[in-house]
Amino acid sequence: MTYSSAGYQQAGVVVLPNHLADDFEAFCHSNPAPLPLLYRSQSGETSCPPLAKHADIRTDISQYCVYEEGCLVETVSSLAASGLWSDMVCFYLGCSFGFEGKLKKAGVPVRNVEQGRNISMYRTAVGCFPAGKFSCPLVVTMRPIPAALLDAAVEVTHLNPLAHGAPVHIGDPAFLGIQDLSRPDYGEQVELQPGDVPVFWACGVTAIEAILSSKPPLAFSHSPGCMFLTDIPDTPSSPLTAPSDSLEPQHTKAHPEQTPLCFQVSHNPLLYSLASQAAVAKIRQLETVIGEDPELLFVQDELLRSCLALSHSSSVAITTGFPTHYMHSPPDETDGPPGAIAMATMLLSLGKKVTMLTDRRAVEMNQAIIDEAVRNVKLPPQSSLDSGPDAALHFLCHHGDASKPRYDHLVAIERSGRASDGNYYNMRGINIKHLVDPIDNLFIAAMDIPGITTTGIGDGGNELGMGKVKDKVINLMPKGSLIACDVPADFAITAGVSNWGGYAVACGLYLLHTCPSHQRYLKKGLGLEPVTPQDQLQDWTANLPSVDKEESFLSTLVKFGIRSGKTAHLAMEVDGLTFHPTHSDIISRLLEVTQRSTTP
């Protein structure tokens, strides 16, 4: 059954022996996206007054599944003859068919309805959070949605949390362990049309998988696609809400600032991500703070998309190092390392694996700097790139196998970038190639390795990754045609000083970590815990950059002979700007945006 022409919401039904009822209720609460619990009956109760008057669950569904010891033994059109009903408990679960009418009214095509087919349902490789005797893989539905209408589809379904809510994945089905969309595990194949993107919602058929895995002596369920019709109208102004006397609290319309927005973060493989309007607005404010000076090279939402991609990552390599002072030893500058450490600190706190990569000539010095300056975070040892024609591939992938990438994101911050003539230039146009290892090769190789995304952070256009804005650099920057980096990154974050870009990435990751919409999407709606103001503050602000931490780190760099970029001063400055008041003010402004509360 698809959305009802009668205009009423629908529900899935699971019927279990009384001794399993508490475990299953806990399982629903632990996995709210696939199993939004509308009502739990009393033992033997055949009606559900909060959902439908005069209902009899034994006869009100067109087809039921009967299970014995976890095996489907038959499908029947009625359960009225069952003699064991007095010991059974019914669970009524929200259904995504409940939002298909709303999608249509919002102008979003419902392809399964257009094609006259049941919805496609897939068993994923994502495990639900177990509870008692229940554990099973997540089941999802897939609806093809035109790319231009993704935001509309997300908003409509977000407003229906008890009909599975917003999508749990948008993009390549392989992320969910689904290998072939033409072979659904339940339902029928729904075909994508040109321009469509596969969008996946958590599905109540997860409950059937729970029955199969827990093997109860007897259980019943609706047959997939044959739903229980409630008395609750299916209208845009009346989103499905749990009745006041059911186990779940009532839901009201979400505050607009918490509505998720959709952004593409990867082309190969295809991946979109979600974040609330409030989080997006704050990250855009961060981008404004750091981008006031280099606005000529600015590309909107590069910071946002990079942060989203990093939030989805599991293993990140960060590289920095710009030996602009070729006449000094060491030749490096104070821009780059502070921003790199700020990003690494936040990524590590989020549970990501981080590798720090630099030139072979600077490995020992950089390690000594970190050992002295960074004491509250255990950073990984510094590493470098081996020489040889296949060095980049072997660094990026296990055994040099492009199908087994070791990293899913590379970040370069204030890293010397290769120009079109193969040389490396500082802003004065001096060739410093003799001081630079070819770490650019990693970014070039990553272009052909599915699953590796890249970010470049720079302030002048000659940094690794700025090849994405090469035309702007050539036309707008002094000596642009000579110094412009030729190697692009997927995301090019430009800042007045590159360190500011690193600080902004750390702040952006914090904002995404404290964004309920984004965290729900990352966790596929499973095992959620509310993000409270206390959760937001506890331990996490310690992982943000701060004026004190950055001032201390800069003083360590100066102690090791690292100089300011523009002036070569051995002083508390970066790119010719003194730490106080310039850099301290930028850090303070970034923190103010990040930690400002959002009042619904």
Side-chain angles (χ1 to χ4, degrees):
M1 182 184 290
T2 57
Y3 66 87
S4 171
S5 59
Y8 292 93
Q9 296 278 359
Q10 302 174 52
V13 175
V14 171
V15 186
L16 293 165
N18 184 58
H19 73 277
L20 293 175
D22 288 347
D23 280 357
F24 189 73
E25 181 186 338
F27 188 61
C28 292
H29 290 317
S30 295
N31 300 281
L35 304 172
L37 184 56
L38 304 179
Y39 183 69
R40 170 184 167 172
S41 77
Q42 302 297 316
S43 293
E45 183 182 12
T46 59
S47 62
C48 54
L51 299 179
K53 296 179 180 178
H54 313 301
D56 187 335
I57 194 56
R58 298 171 297 180
T59 58
D60 283 354
I61 293 177
S62 60
Q63 184 169 276
Y64 302 84
C65 294
V66 181
Y67 306 87
E68 294 179 0
E69 304 297 338
C71 296
L72 175 64
V73 294
E74 62 177 332
T75 56
V76 298
S77 59
S78 172
L79 297 175
S82 174
L84 301 175
W85 198 263
S86 62
D87 188 48
M88 306 300 281
V89 176
C90 300
F91 292 86
Y92 298 79
L93 305 169
C95 171
S96 62
F97 288 157
F99 61 58
E100 288 189 340
K102 296 180 177 65
L103 286 175
K104 187 177 181 182
K105 289 174 183 176
V108 179
V110 183
R111 300 295 190 205
N112 52 299
V113 177
E114 292 177 352
Q115 297 170 25
R117 298 176 181 177
N118 191 2
I119 194 70
S120 301
M121 292 165 270
Y122 302 88
R123 183 186 301 111
T124 73
V126 179
C128 291
F129 273 61
K133 293 184 177 296
F134 293 96
S135 64
C136 68
L138 171 69
V139 176
V140 295
T141 57
M142 189 282 292
R143 291 169 176 80
I145 303 291
L149 295 175
L150 287 174
D151 274 330
V154 168
E155 180 175 1
V156 165
T157 56
H158 164 73
L159 292 174
N160 288 268
L162 294 180
H164 301 301
V168 296
H169 177 64
I170 304 174
D172 192 328
F175 281 105
L176 298 174
I178 301 170
Q179 301 304 319
D180 187 352
L181 286 180
S182 70
R183 300 177 63 184
D185 296 291
Y186 301 92
E188 300 174 276
Q189 179 188 1
V190 178
E191 297 177 356
L192 279 76
Q193 302 301 308
D196 283 353
V197 174
V199 182
F200 299 87
W201 280 266
C203 176
V205 174
T206 301
I208 294 176
E209 289 289 323
I211 292 173
L212 298 177
S213 64
S214 63
K215 298 179 171 43
L218 178 68
F220 310 112
S221 77
H222 69 281
S223 183
C226 301
M227 315 308 294
F228 174 74
L229 195 62
T230 75
D231 291 345
I232 301 172
D234 178 13
T235 62
S237 60
S238 302
L240 181 60
T241 61
S244 59
D245 53 350
S246 75
L247 292 168
E248 291 285 325
Q250 288 192 326
H251 287 253
T252 57
K253 268 193 173 183
H255 297 283
E257 64 270 16
Q258 295 306 322
T259 300
L261 298 175
C262 184
F263 297 90
Q264 185 173 350
V265 297
S266 172
H267 293 274
N268 185 22
L270 184 64
L271 176 64
Y272 289 77
S273 190
L274 303 182
S276 70
Q277 290 185 13
V280 169
K282 285 189 174 185
I283 294 174
R284 286 173 172 164
Q285 290 175 42
L286 298 177
E287 197 169 49
T288 299
V289 171
I290 66 169
E292 292 174 352
D293 184 40
E295 58 185 19
L296 295 177
L297 303 181
F298 173 74
V299 179
Q300 185 175 3
D301 287 340
E302 295 291 276
L303 173 64
L304 171 63
R305 294 176 191 273
S306 175
C307 288
L308 286 167
L310 284 165
S311 184
H312 281 270
S313 69
S314 59
S315 181
V316 182
I318 301 175
T319 183
T320 189
F322 205 122
T324 187
H325 303 304
Y326 61 97
M327 298 293 288
H328 294 276
S329 181
D332 305 275
E333 62 167 304
T334 51
D335 195 13
I341 297 302
M343 290 186 290
T345 298
M346 182 57 70
L347 288 166
L348 287 167
S349 72
L350 293 172
K352 317 294 187 185
K353 182 179 179 181
V354 175
T355 298
M356 305 295 290
L357 180 64
T358 190
D359 299 294
R360 281 168 289 180
R361 62 167 180 79
V363 167
E364 291 186 8
M365 178 188 69
N366 285 347
Q367 188 62 56
I369 291 171
I370 289 174
D371 289 344
E372 176 164 332
V374 184
R375 301 187 183 277
N376 59 335
V377 178
K378 185 173 177 57
L379 292 171
Q382 294 283 308
S383 61
S384 60
L385 181 65
D386 293 334
S387 58
D390 296 324
L393 186 60
H394 281 274
F395 182 91
L396 293 174
C397 303
H398 296 284
H399 311 297
D401 184 347
S403 67
K404 299 177 180 178
R406 188 176 277 116
Y407 306 96
D408 42 30
H409 206 122
L410 309 178
V411 182
I413 176 169
E414 192 63 20
R415 171 70 198 176
S416 312
R418 185 182 301 159
S420 58
D421 63 2
N423 292 318
Y424 297 79
Y425 295 97
N426 64 17
M427 291 300 289
R428 298 177 183 82
I430 304 299
N431 184 7
I432 53 174
K433 182 177 181 178
H434 62 291
L435 296 170
V436 180
D437 288 352
I439 291 175
D440 306 66
N441 291 344
L442 298 179
F443 279 58
I444 295 169
M447 296 178 192
D448 298 321
I449 302 174
I452 301 182
T453 306
T454 56
T455 292
I457 303 175
D459 53 28
N462 57 347
E463 302 90 358
L464 177 54
M466 293 298 108
K468 184 174 183 179
V469 292
K470 180 181 176 181
D471 289 343
K472 289 186 175 183
V473 176
I474 290 174
N475 293 324
L476 301 174
M477 301 301 290
K479 303 186 189 310
S481 59
L482 175 67
I483 68 170
C485 177
D486 195 46
V487 181
D490 294 309
F491 310 109
I493 300 171
T494 56
V497 174
S498 294
N499 281 341
W500 303 348
Y503 303 152
V505 167
C507 292
L509 288 169
Y510 171 91
L511 288 169
L512 293 176
H513 178 74
T514 54
C515 170
S517 295
H518 182 67
Q519 289 303 305
R520 178 188 182 277
Y521 186 78
L522 279 184
K523 298 176 181 179
K524 309 295 184 286
L526 307 176
L528 295 182
E529 296 180 0
V531 179
T532 66
Q534 290 75 21
D535 293 328
Q536 294 180 12
L537 293 174
Q538 185 176 4
D539 294 332
W540 287 99
T541 54
N543 300 312
L544 289 167
S546 70
V547 171
D548 288 345
K549 283 194 293 187
E550 301 313 316
E551 184 174 22
S552 175
F553 188 62
L554 179 58
S555 68
T556 302
L557 291 177
V558 174
K559 177 181 176 181
F560 276 78
I562 311 298
R563 298 170 181 269
S564 176
K566 290 184 178 180
T567 64
H569 291 164
L570 195 59
M572 292 292 289
E573 65 176 53
V574 182
D575 277 355
L577 303 171
T578 56
F579 186 82
H580 292 290
T582 306
H583 299 286
S584 59
D585 178 64
I586 291 291
I587 295 166
S588 296
R589 290 168 62 192
L590 292 173
L591 291 175
E592 194 276 330
V593 170
T594 303
Q595 298 177 266
R596 183 191 307 138
S597 63
T598 301
T599 303

